[in-house]
Amino acid sequence: MVRIEDYAMVGDLHTAALISTEGSIDWLCLPRFDSPACFNALLDTPESGRWILAPEGGGECTRRRYRRHTLILETDWETEDGAVRVIDFMPPRDEVADIVRIVVGLHGKVRMKGQLALRFDYGHIMPWVRRDSHGLHAIAGPDSAYLVTEAPLRGQHMQTVSEFTVKAGERVPFVLTWAPSHVHRPRSVDAESVLESTEKFWRVWAGQSKVTGPYKDAVERSLITLKALTYAPTGGIVAAVTTSLPEQLGGPRNWDYRFCWLRDATLTLQALLAAGYTAEAAAWRDWLLRAVAGDPADLQIMYGIHGERRLPEMEIPWLAGYEGSAPVRIGNGAAGQLQLDVWGEVLDCLSLTRNSLLKHTDEAWDVQVALMEYLEGAWDQPDNGLWEMRGPRRHFTHSKIMAWVAADRMVRGVRDSGLPGPADRWEALRDTIRDDVMAHGYDAERNTFTQSYDRPELDASLLLIPRVGFLPPDDPRVIGTIDTIQRELTEDGFVLRYRPQESDDGLPGDEGVFLACSFWLVEALLGAGRRRQATELFERLLALRNDVGLLSEEWGVQSARHLGNTPQAFSHFALVTSALELHQQRTGRSDRPLASRAGRA
């Protein structure tokens, strides 16, 4: 059984592959993050497509690591006869996609076995495969792939098998190249040359970071992971590289996360700016502005990596699902939901940009005014909420608070930056929304905010109240909410998004604790003056990372396993901002850049 945390990632800034501790590439979509997968064993059996390269005896590796400051994976096995290493990486994309695997003999001699099973279109299509002078050529519809190696190859049971012995000091490269089937065969890369150039690329990129201090290594690994989740041509950042990894093992809460969520916008920008990655921050902001262009009423919660709006959801019945967790879904039907918080998220993000640049002009101001004018007439409607609930629409407290955020940021744009707009009207709206939230979203008897109006359930998004500036972090009502969430919405000290059985989210089953929400609790505790508690929780969360520093979406307290899609951008961005604020020993508002000292984690 391969656990979710047994996977490491390599990528080329267009897509990414997941590689298990057994040396098997079990997930890879080509040519983009959101393309159909050609290796699908993650969500089914090895027959649905994988590429394993390991000692003949198989089994988990002895150890593995990323080369420092890079996304180059090194996996070692020690056997009775010797030791061997497999180096896995994807060179930053040029015209085509390459995945490179180099087998290195460390000492003694090791008998190796490789098995390559390409299965395009999520395992549905078996390609035609033929030998040529360089290795193999596989073709199926729009896809073609070329395997180049000096190792022996043979066909067996609809797979390509390679068996060879590697001795100390020997290096045996394999290069798998994808290209559109209608173009001529692309040039083959030299494995050792692109290893050198790929290592240089990542070391130069990591060297731009301003982060130092006790959490530097954890923050750097998260930043490299986030860079790998970035689609370089557009600057869009996918939520994860996978689809349908379950929030409950064997359950139906399985979603496609290979898209870009607006809820991540401000956290993304704040983390990138604080760490010194201004080019990536600018690219994300530009992606955001392109994606939201159009009728303000049509703002979506998520978009494709090019800003696509139509993300139709469908099920893939021929894949059994991770550990039988069905259905496997591609596309995401939640894209069409009404989530009023995204208007506030976008305006908060653009306010952060303006404040970070200390600009009194804003070329995107007209867009912001249009978004605000729409929200003025829509903020009091029920919606699906931050968590994309598929039950009845409600008046979610977080959605109303983010409408308050929208009005607040627009007022500040006029008052502080001299931009044109009806500040008095927006101030009045801000006050109206605040009064509405306090009347219906706050339970004075329990001294806590609640998930939705005039109902008792809790929600982790309430921990963001001080972050967005709705109330100060040491306000008694914020403290009361923190205490109630710790008492009623945690398992083993980690935070649930909400309790599905109580919240009528329209779905059966349950889910694990949500890692990003647990990092929100770190920030809330820090803001409340409970630094020791915040630090202890943060370090417990760090301990949940896998052996190469990756986090998925959720953690199963009872199973002690990662759950949900992986690696999860939301978890890693929250890790970065929590680390920076812990070092700074104070929290900041979401629309303000973290102070320069916060660059030291």
Side-chain angles (χ1 to χ4, degrees):
M1 178 186 69
V2 181
R3 303 167 303 171
I4 293 171
E5 58 266 36
D6 290 336
Y7 286 101
M9 173 182 66
V10 298
D12 65 356
L13 310 182
H14 284 234
T15 190
L18 293 186
I19 306 174
S20 76
T21 50
E22 297 176 350
S24 181
I25 302 177
D26 287 346
W27 182 254
L28 175 61
C29 300
L30 288 169
R32 308 186 336 179
F33 290 108
D34 57 353
S35 298
C38 63
F39 297 136
N40 306 272
L42 176 71
L43 299 177
D44 201 82
T45 64
E47 286 69 32
S48 64
R50 70 167 181 173
W51 183 12
I52 189 168
L53 187 57
E56 191 174 55
E60 288 193 357
C61 63
T62 306
R63 70 187 69 85
R64 63 178 180 171
R65 74 203 67 78
Y66 285 114
R67 287 192 180 181
R68 281 184 61 80
H69 316 304
T70 78
L71 199 67
I72 298 170
L73 182 69
E74 296 182 335
T75 306
D76 296 352
W77 285 266
E78 294 182 2
T79 72
E80 292 181 358
D81 299 318
V84 66
R85 172 174 298 159
V86 176
I87 303 171
D88 287 305
F89 65 98
M90 296 182 74
R93 182 76 63 91
D94 49 20
E95 295 82 14
V96 296
D98 297 300
I99 185 157
V100 181
R101 316 193 76 179
I102 303 175
V103 180
V104 181
L106 299 179
H107 63 79
K109 60 181 181 180
V110 178
R111 185 70 177 165
M112 297 292 292
K113 184 173 184 178
Q115 292 174 286
L116 171 66
L118 283 161
R119 301 291 186 266
F120 293 105
D121 192 28
Y122 300 106
H124 192 57
I125 299 176
M126 186 179 299
W128 289 350
V129 179
R130 65 174 183 267
R131 294 285 300 271
D132 60 25
S133 59
H134 304 283
L136 291 181
H137 176 203
I139 187 168
D143 301 296
S144 63
Y146 304 85
L147 177 65
V148 175
T149 183
E150 296 177 359
L153 300 173
R154 61 182 173 84
Q156 179 180 315
H157 305 310
M158 300 299 179
Q159 301 182 49
T160 299
V161 176
S162 181
E163 295 174 308
F164 58 97
T165 299
V166 62
K167 300 176 182 177
E170 292 182 341
R171 299 171 74 91
V172 182
F174 293 77
V175 179
L176 182 66
T177 301
W178 177 94
S181 59
H182 65 275
V183 304
H184 292 297
R185 180 182 185 125
R187 61 177 177 80
S188 296
V189 299
D190 177 76
E192 300 293 349
S193 295
V194 292
L195 173 60
E196 182 179 347
S197 62
T198 301
E199 182 165 10
K200 180 179 179 181
F201 169 86
W202 283 108
R203 286 184 176 274
V204 169
W205 188 86
Q208 299 173 39
S209 173
K210 296 179 179 178
V211 176
T212 61
Y215 301 127
K216 178 181 185 298
D217 289 345
V219 171
E220 180 186 89
R221 180 50 52 195
S222 286
L223 289 167
I224 289 173
T225 301
L226 293 163
K227 176 67 171 176
L229 293 173
T230 303
Y231 183 65
T234 65
I237 302 173
V238 296
V241 304
T242 56
T243 180
S244 301
L245 289 181
E247 296 170 8
Q248 179 186 31
L249 294 174
R253 294 171 180 261
N254 318 316
W255 314 108
D256 194 345
Y257 274 28
R258 298 171 298 157
F259 308 113
C260 307
W261 265 255
L262 296 193
R263 73 177 182 195
D264 304 355
T266 305
L267 193 66
T268 300
L269 196 65
Q270 199 170 43
L272 291 172
L273 288 170
Y277 291 103
T278 54
E280 284 75 12
W284 169 247
R285 174 188 179 274
D286 291 345
W287 175 89
L288 178 69
L289 286 172
R290 292 192 302 270
V292 305
D295 187 342
D298 294 334
L299 193 65
Q300 296 187 179
I301 66 169
M302 73 183 84
Y303 295 84
I305 53 180
H306 277 279
E308 300 95 332
R309 291 171 176 262
R310 298 190 186 279
L311 309 174
E313 182 176 300
M314 62 180 292
E315 297 180 3
I316 303 295
W318 58 85
L319 294 178
Y322 178 84
E323 292 192 16
S325 304
V328 171
R329 295 181 174 95
I330 59 171
N332 200 309
Q337 288 185 348
L338 174 64
Q339 292 186 20
L340 290 170
D341 61 288
V342 297
W343 277 262
E345 188 69 48
V346 171
L347 295 177
D348 196 29
C349 179
L350 296 176
S351 177
L352 171 62
T353 302
R354 192 165 55 247
N355 293 331
S356 300
L357 299 175
L358 300 177
K359 290 174 62 175
H360 290 275
T361 60
D362 190 334
E363 64 274 17
W365 183 247
D366 288 348
V367 174
Q368 295 167 68
V369 170
L371 291 171
M372 187 66 228
E373 288 177 343
Y374 171 78
L375 190 60
E376 286 181 81
W379 73 270
D380 57 353
Q381 301 301 307
D383 72 334
N384 296 99
L386 170 70
W387 304 123
E388 300 150 25
M389 292 193 183
R390 300 195 175 200
R393 289 182 177 178
R394 280 187 268 154
H395 293 282
F396 286 96
T397 302
H398 175 74
S399 296
K400 306 308 185 196
I401 288 173
M402 292 308 293
W404 176 92
V405 167
D408 178 75
R409 302 322 187 237
M410 296 302 286
V411 169
R412 291 173 183 271
V414 176
R415 301 286 191 223
D416 299 343
S417 299
L419 296 165
D424 291 343
R425 189 176 85 211
W426 290 337
E427 279 183 333
L429 176 63
R430 181 178 64 181
D431 293 342
T432 297
I433 297 172
R434 178 188 173 87
D435 292 344
D436 194 59
V437 169
M438 297 310 301
H440 299 285
Y442 173 69
D443 184 337
E445 186 174 328
R446 295 163 65 204
N447 188 28
T448 184
F449 287 89
T450 58
Q451 181 183 59
S452 59
Y453 277 12
D454 304 316
R455 290 180 55 157
E457 298 90 358
L458 297 172
D459 194 292
S461 63
L462 303 169
L463 293 168
L464 298 173
I465 286 173
R467 180 171 227 282
V468 300
F470 187 79
L471 287 175
D474 57 354
D475 185 283
R477 292 161 292 189
V478 171
I479 302 297
T481 301
I482 293 171
D483 290 341
T484 307
I485 285 175
Q486 284 189 293
R487 188 170 57 248
E488 301 180 21
L489 199 62
T490 59
E491 291 184 3
D492 193 28
F494 303 119
V495 183
L496 296 158
R497 292 191 297 179
Y498 54 89
R499 292 197 179 275
Q501 306 93 327
E502 301 170 0
S503 293
D504 189 19
D505 64 2
L507 294 165
D510 216 327
E511 62 181 36
V513 295
F514 203 80
L515 296 177
C517 297
S518 300
F519 284 113
W520 295 349
L521 179 57
V522 170
E523 294 188 43
L525 289 169
L526 181 62
R530 302 175 183 176
R531 186 168 188 268
R532 181 176 176 181
Q533 283 188 52
T535 302
E536 289 174 352
L537 177 57
F538 179 78
E539 293 182 351
R540 289 188 67 210
L541 285 163
L542 285 188
L544 300 184
R545 296 174 301 152
N546 74 356
D547 58 319
V548 290
L550 302 184
L551 287 171
S552 66
E553 181 181 35
E554 298 181 4
W555 171 255
V557 171
Q558 300 302 319
S559 62
R561 292 179 58 181
H562 284 196
L563 298 172
N565 286 304
T566 197
Q568 177 78 202
F570 213 19
S571 300
H572 284 281
F573 277 123
L575 184 158
V576 172
T577 55
S578 295
L580 298 177
E581 292 190 335
L582 275 174
H583 181 76
Q584 192 182 11
Q585 298 186 33
R586 64 182 178 87
T587 56
R589 280 174 52 122
S590 58
D591 62 336
R592 299 287 171 181
L594 296 174
S596 58
R597 187 185 170 208
R600 298 191 297 272

